[in-house]
Amino acid sequence: MRSVLSRHLRLIPAATMSEGDSIGESVHGKPSVVYRFFSRLGQIYQSWLDKSTPYTAVRWIVTLGLSFIYMIRVYLLQGWYIVTYALGIYHLNLFIAFLSPKVDPSLMEDSDDGPSLPTRQNEEFRPFIRRLPEFKFWHSATKGILVAMACTFFEAFNVPVFWPILVMYFIMLFCITMKRQIKHMIKYRYIPFTHGKRKYKGKEDVGKTFAS
């Protein structure tokens, strides 16, 4: 009897391990339903972003419409001013990054390495490369509006504050930041917009042909 029991006790751990290995393979070898769902959702989202890339005007009209809806909601609710202030600061930082060159010219004054901005008319054409591209600027700005709008549904984000002070702070910060950016543009002589390479036409042949 003891030999039979000991034989069964030896077989139980082995069976348990083999069963656990099969379960582990089913869990780790195959992605879960939740992972597959969010992965598929991310693929669809990225596909829509890729399709919207060439429609710059439409994208920004939608973003302006969302910001208008958000401002109406804040006005009707008479609250969430601190969220609006944070959204304004976030958009201002995005805008400054959009106007700034990818490589700061002040860091390249004493070095000849890397591309630099053209400072004379006869220099080689170099397109303006932004620190924050237009598409990423739009995407981040739109996400910021959606996050701020979602915050207006939670009372925890409705911090009581005297909103005229926030408006005054934002105007001051905007003026100081833009003044600094304009000075930087004037000092290093660049314009954050590229209209394309200038084309030069040769002289037209104005000579007359004579019939023989």
Side-chain angles (χ1 to χ4, degrees), residues 62-136:
V62 172
T63 302
L64 291 176
L66 288 174
S67 62
F68 183 69
I69 293 172
Y70 172 78
M71 296 304 294
I72 291 177
R73 177 170 174 79
V74 170
Y75 175 76
L76 294 177
L77 294 176
Q78 294 293 314
W80 286 270
Y81 300 119
I82 195 69
V83 175
T84 307
Y85 177 74
L87 179 63
I89 296 297
Y90 178 65
H91 281 176
L92 179 60
N93 289 331
L94 292 177
F95 184 61
I96 294 300
F98 175 73
L99 296 179
S100 302
K102 187 175 181 179
V103 180
D104 193 352
S106 62
L107 301 177
M108 302 174 61
E109 279 185 328
D110 300 329
S111 97
D112 297 331
D113 299 333
S116 60
L117 296 171
T119 56
R120 289 186 297 272
Q121 186 177 359
N122 58 353
E123 283 191 12
E124 182 183 355
F125 173 78
R126 299 185 186 95
F128 183 81
I129 302 176
R130 305 180 185 279
R131 186 190 306 171
L132 182 67
E134 180 272 332
F135 185 81
K136 290 185 177 181

Side-chain angles (χ1 to χ4, degrees), residues 3-4 8 28 30 44 60 63 67 83 88 97 114 122 124 155 163 167-169 184 200 210 212:
S3 60
V4 174
H8 278 293
H28 297 290
K30 203 176 205 180
I44 296 173
W60 281 105
T63 302
S67 62
V83 175
N122 58 353
E124 182 183 355
E155 192 65 29
W163 66 266
V167 173
M168 185 180 66
Y169 282 166
H184 190 270
Y200 298 94
F210 297 94
S212 56

Side-chain angles (χ1 to χ4, degrees), residues 81 85 162-174:
Y81 300 119
Y85 177 74
F162 187 56
W163 66 266
I165 296 293
L166 294 181
V167 173
M168 185 180 66
Y169 282 166
F170 180 78
I171 292 175
M172 290 175 57
L173 183 62
F174 178 81

